[in-house]
Amino acid sequence: MSAHRRAAVVALTALAPVSWGTTYVVTTELLPPERPLFTALVRALPAGLLLLAAARVLPRGAWWWKAGVLGALNIGAFFPLLFLAAYRLPGGLAAVVGSVGPLLVLGLSALLLGRRPALRDVLAGTVAALGVSMVVLRAAGALDALGVAAAFASTASMAAGTVLTQKWGRPEGVGPLALTGWQLTAGGLLIAPLAFLIEGAPPALDAGAAGGYAYLALVNTALAYVLWFRGIGRLTATQATLLGPLSPLTAAVLGWALLDESLTALQLAGMALAFGATVAGQLKTPSARPVRPQLPPDDLAPVTVPGQRLPAPDVGTGPHQRESPSGRT
């Protein structure tokens, strides 16, 4: 991938966490209070059904259960746990816990993808978490154990979904539109019974709430997740997840611009650290070329000419016994 094309992929993928950073303003200013599960349901299921109708492709074979697993991790578990943490934890503590996502992705990539973490990526993830904590963390009293557990579980769920999305890729001929639709639909179907059992019937909506939910479903979820999963397919899981700090940074900037929230010198320094770590995480790490064994001259394969028929190889028991293409001698 050329440098210009890669920069375009990074920029488009970054729009997803930037969009997610607007969720706080939309939720607090437009949506009915105390309805986190209903909000998660409206974000996921309508967007998923819309993308399914647009893509007109259903999973096949093993992708039925793979789409279900990815939908549960990236949407069905992530959304409710995230909202639970946000309602139970003070200030931006949920965002601080979420900022360790890149470090979790590094560990899971080593476990599931066999990729040894680069020191630069570990440092970038650590600095990003520090920067986010400087931006959003406030002094607080005793922490809620359930809220902390929910915040960590939501981060781990998204990290696992990100790594598995890259590990499994996409079926041949299936684009990011269909893959996103599968996951949003599966996740929305998991959230639906919880929303109705715990929160009851949907609330009455005014024009502002209807517009807010439409924005969350179409832009904040459908479009954002298409860009996100498209980016995961072109970047490494670590590069993608290191774009995550853009979400709390966007929320902080919008709070300052629209809600008259102040930004201290410490927060500005944290923004600079988190943004610098995000940029550093996108720098391409030179990949080592695979080492090929050096064969002695008499073990070199003969050059073939189209149409030429070579004699059968000697399959004796000497030290230079050749192996058949199937691996059997």
Side-chain angles (χ1 to χ4, degrees):
M1 186 187 303
S2 67
H4 292 294
R5 185 177 179 185
R6 187 169 172 278
V9 171
V10 170
L12 285 174
T13 308
L15 292 177
V18 168
S19 172
W20 299 333
T22 67
T23 304
Y24 175 76
V25 170
V26 173
T27 301
T28 57
E29 298 301 306
L30 298 176
L31 303 186
E34 305 297 331
R35 303 304 295 262
L37 290 175
F38 178 76
T39 299
L41 174 61
V42 173
R43 284 187 66 185
L45 192 55
L49 294 175
L50 178 64
L51 293 179
L52 282 182
R56 303 176 67 179
V57 177
L58 292 177
R60 293 183 180 179
W63 270 98
W64 280 105
W65 69 264
K66 287 182 178 180
V69 170
L70 294 178
L73 291 172
N74 289 320
I75 308 297
F78 174 68
F79 278 6
L81 289 169
L82 181 66
F83 280 115
L84 176 62
Y87 273 86
R88 297 187 69 96
L89 293 181
L93 185 59
V96 174
V97 178
S99 67
V100 304
L103 299 178
L104 292 179
V105 166
L106 284 172
L108 290 173
S109 294
L111 181 65
L112 300 178
L113 304 180
R115 293 177 179 169
R116 184 178 179 181
L119 177 60
R120 187 194 66 192
D121 292 335
V122 175
L123 291 176
T126 303
V127 172
L130 175 62
V132 170
S133 67
M134 292 168 62
V135 174
V136 301
L137 194 58
R138 301 287 188 276
L143 298 181
D144 183 272
L146 179 59
V148 173
F152 184 81
S154 69
T155 303
S157 179
M158 187 66 168
T162 298
V163 175
L164 285 178
T165 299
Q166 186 163 85
K167 178 180 177 63
W168 289 337
R170 296 196 303 264
E172 185 177 355
V174 173
L177 205 69
L179 181 64
T180 306
W182 299 348
Q183 295 185 55
L184 287 172
T185 302
L189 291 175
L190 289 174
I191 297 171
L194 291 176
F196 288 107
L197 286 174
I198 296 175
E199 296 181 353
L205 304 180
D206 57 19
Y213 279 126
Y215 167 80
L216 289 181
L218 298 177
V219 178
N220 185 271
T221 303
L223 177 59
Y225 272 94
V226 167
L227 294 175
W228 181 250
F229 292 130
R230 176 183 177 272
I232 292 177
R234 290 164 170 78
L235 304 172
T236 67
T238 304
Q239 289 170 331
T241 197
L242 276 170
L243 295 171
L246 294 176
S247 181
L249 296 185
T250 301
V253 171
L254 289 178
W256 168 78
L258 301 179
L259 304 179
D260 294 325
E261 296 179 356
S262 61
L263 288 175
T264 66
L266 180 65
Q267 288 176 302
L268 293 175
M271 285 184 174
L273 278 178
F275 187 75
T278 297
V279 173
Q282 307 313 309
L283 300 178
K284 187 175 181 180
T285 302
S287 56
R289 292 185 297 180
V291 178
R292 297 186 178 183
Q294 297 296 322
L295 299 177
D298 55 346
D299 276 347
L300 294 177
V303 178
T304 60
V305 178
Q308 177 185 3
R309 186 171 181 175
L310 295 176
D314 179 13
V315 291
T317 57
H320 297 297
Q321 177 181 352
R322 297 184 184 275
E323 188 177 35
S324 68
S326 63
R328 297 185 294 271
T329 56

